[in-house]
Amino acid sequence: MMNIIYLRRFKDLRALSLSGNPIAEAEDYKMFIWAYLPDLVYLDSRRIDDHMKALAAMKHQYGIDELKHREALMQAQLEEEQALRQQLQEHKAAFVEGLDGSFLFDSMYAEDVEGNKLAFLHGVGELLEAYKNKFVVICLNIFEYGLKQQEKRKVELDTFNECVQEAIQESQQQGKDWIAKFEEKHLMSLTAIRDESDLASMELRITEYNKDITELFDLLMTLEMQLIEQLEETINMFERNIVDLVGTFIENVQSLLAQCRDLENHHHEKVLEIAINTLEKMAKGELDEDLPDGVRALFVDKDTLVNAVGASHDIHLLKIDNREDELVTRVNSWCTRLVDQIHKDEVMRNRKRVKEINQYVEHMQSELDNLDCGDILD
């Protein structure tokens, strides 16, 4: 019977037939369904009585209340997960996902074995905490700046699309006006040709009509050429603007990430200084700290220690470099794909429009060509 609850997710379910299903033989079958599927109108081809539905709801009220509570929790969790996914997509669109916290910093130490060992040294823990706080502030600055820049790019793209659509609609409307005037004259011209009894006069009218068709074709093609020039100028301006926006974004992000490298370099120098002092104390037997064996293994000699500190430093710089390369590559690729697609869309639009013009003019010409002058004269 509990499998019936699965059907609650179908919010528009109004009729259900379980006749012949073994569940229909279960005790309290109808009352259970009436209670747990309150929006159902028909069960087994019979309309559900509202009074019986109310009795069923009262009978199973405790179970229904508990179920609704669970459903509410599940719905809230689902909405939260959807919101997080939507938020992540927005952050990815801005190319700053994972920069709204300590993710980048944490990733620097996730695979840094030596760095985690060095954190046991006296003074390194406090140094590391201060380093992390400053590093995360820079990441948050990149994140907030990235969202603002994404909004600027979106406004620029929306404005461009509006300008393009406005130009196209204006051109199309002008073309429609010309076609409307032509078709009004077109009907009169065809009628006049059909009614003409004199062959010479008919040929003159046909010649004039051909001239009108050619004139319409020239007008429509000229209009399209003007639109092409207008859109080309608009596209080129948009391309310059979006490239400038992307370039400024990259330049400023690189500047902020350079600050992260400066922090890392400063931290590296301080850790190396602490490590060398610890090694000297250890050599003199003045070290009061009880270091784990894994940490002591780094202090066998100065070269081993310096190499360990340097390896930790290299891992951190590599993580920063990789994040910068990823951001730059993705935003440049996005910009290139966007501009390329805009140019392709314009080429396709132009081809489609020219085809429409040709087809229309050919149709008008065929109507004229199909006039059987012999039949008209007879």
Side-chain angles (χ1 to χ4, degrees):
M1 292 291 287
M2 296 305 292
N3 290 329
I4 291 294
I5 294 175
Y6 173 84
L7 299 177
R8 286 174 63 89
R9 68 184 62 191
F10 302 109
K11 303 301 181 183
D12 295 327
L13 181 63
R14 297 293 179 267
L16 177 65
S17 178
L18 293 171
S19 181
N21 190 302
I23 198 174
E25 305 299 324
E27 184 179 357
D28 201 30
Y29 155 69
K30 290 185 177 180
M31 293 289 281
F32 186 90
I33 292 180
W34 294 341
Y36 281 89
L37 301 178
D39 295 325
L40 207 62
V41 178
Y42 295 93
L43 177 61
D44 296 336
S45 303
R46 291 180 177 273
R47 187 175 183 86
I48 301 172
D49 181 74
D50 290 340
H51 176 68
M52 295 303 297
K53 187 183 291 188
L55 291 177
M58 291 176 59
K59 180 178 181 179
H60 292 276
Q61 182 175 359
Y62 177 78
I64 292 174
D65 289 344
E66 185 178 354
L67 177 61
K68 286 182 177 179
H69 177 68
R70 291 201 307 270
E71 288 176 339
L73 292 177
M74 290 175 63
Q75 182 63 28
Q77 182 181 357
L78 180 62
E79 291 175 357
E80 182 179 357
E81 291 173 354
Q82 289 175 339
L84 288 174
R85 284 196 295 270
Q86 177 64 28
Q87 188 180 65
L88 178 59
Q89 289 303 313
E90 292 173 358
H91 295 173
K92 284 184 176 180
F95 312 103
V96 291
E97 72 279 7
L99 293 174
D100 55 337
S102 62
F103 178 81
L104 179 57
F105 185 89
D106 295 340
S107 72
M108 289 161 50
Y109 282 87
E111 301 170 4
D112 181 13
V113 178
E114 284 77 8
N116 287 314
K117 290 179 181 179
L118 292 168
F120 284 95
L121 299 181
H122 178 69
V124 173
E126 294 82 357
L127 192 66
L128 187 61
E129 187 65 26
Y131 172 35
K132 180 177 181 179
N133 291 337
K134 293 178 181 178
F135 192 97
V136 170
V137 167
I138 296 175
C139 287
L140 288 172
N141 288 338
I142 296 173
F143 176 77
E144 292 171 1
Y145 174 69
L147 293 182
K148 290 178 181 177
Q149 287 298 300
Q150 165 63 6
E151 185 60 29
K152 285 185 178 180
R153 292 193 294 270
K154 183 178 181 299
V155 169
E156 186 68 33
L157 182 57
D158 290 344
T159 302
F160 164 74
N161 287 328
E162 289 174 6
C163 290
V164 169
Q165 290 304 313
E166 183 178 340
I168 292 173
Q169 289 172 5
E170 183 179 341
S171 178
Q172 288 179 342
Q173 186 58 51
Q174 194 171 349
K176 288 177 182 178
D177 293 342
W178 286 345
I179 289 173
K181 291 179 181 178
F182 171 81
E183 290 190 343
E184 182 179 351
K185 186 178 178 181
H186 161 73
L187 294 175
M188 297 172 61
S189 297
L190 288 182
T191 302
I193 292 172
R194 290 191 181 97
D195 294 343
E196 186 59 64
S197 58
D198 180 66
L199 180 59
S201 298
M202 179 184 295
E203 289 177 349
L204 181 60
R205 288 183 182 277
I206 291 175
T207 301
E208 290 177 353
Y209 187 54
N210 273 318
K211 183 180 178 181
D212 290 341
I213 294 175
T214 302
E215 184 179 342
L216 175 65
F217 175 78
D218 291 341
L219 285 171
L220 293 176
M221 291 303 293
T222 299
L223 190 61
E224 176 59 20
M225 289 302 298
Q226 291 172 348
L227 178 60
I228 290 174
E229 292 176 1
Q230 182 180 354
L231 292 183
E232 183 178 1
E233 182 179 347
T234 303
I235 290 171
N236 289 338
M237 183 181 297
F238 168 76
E239 185 173 353
R240 288 193 297 271
N241 291 344
I242 203 71
V243 167
D244 286 345
L245 280 174
V246 167
T248 301
F249 172 61
I250 290 174
E251 183 180 343
N252 289 330
V253 168
Q254 288 176 328
S255 176
L256 288 167
L257 286 173
Q259 295 179 28
C260 290
R261 291 189 188 89
D262 291 341
L263 284 177
E264 169 56 31
N265 291 331
H266 178 74
H267 178 73
H268 165 67
E269 292 172 0
K270 290 294 184 180
V271 171
L272 183 60
E273 181 182 337
I274 291 174
I276 295 297
N277 289 337
T278 303
L279 179 64
E280 292 173 352
K281 288 182 180 180
M282 193 177 291
K284 295 176 182 178
E286 299 175 355
L287 187 66
D288 297 330
E289 302 171 55
D290 184 18
L291 299 175
D293 294 339
V295 179
R296 285 185 173 275
L298 299 177
F299 289 82
V300 293
D301 55 53
K302 187 174 182 179
D303 287 343
T304 301
L305 181 60
V306 171
N307 289 338
V309 177
S312 172
H313 181 51
D314 290 342
I315 289 175
H316 299 169
L317 289 178
L318 182 62
K319 287 289 185 179
I320 296 172
D321 291 344
N322 287 344
R323 185 63 180 92
E324 179 181 319
D325 290 343
E326 179 194 3
L327 184 148
V328 172
T329 300
R330 282 174 52 204
V331 71
N332 278 329
S333 297
W334 170 83
C335 185
T336 300
R337 287 196 306 270
L338 175 64
V339 172
D340 287 348
Q341 189 60 52
I342 287 172
H343 283 290
K344 288 178 183 177
D345 289 345
E346 170 53 17
V347 170
M348 295 303 295
R349 184 209 63 78
N350 170 246
R351 288 177 180 174
K352 181 181 178 183
R353 182 57 176 167
V354 170
K355 183 179 179 181
E356 289 173 348
I357 293 172
N358 281 318
Q359 287 178 338
Y360 178 78
V361 170
E362 287 172 3
H363 173 68
M364 293 294 101
Q365 189 65 55
S366 66
E367 281 196 336
L368 179 60
D369 294 342
N370 288 335
L371 285 176
D372 192 333
C373 295
D375 289 346
I376 292 175
L377 288 174
D378 291 341

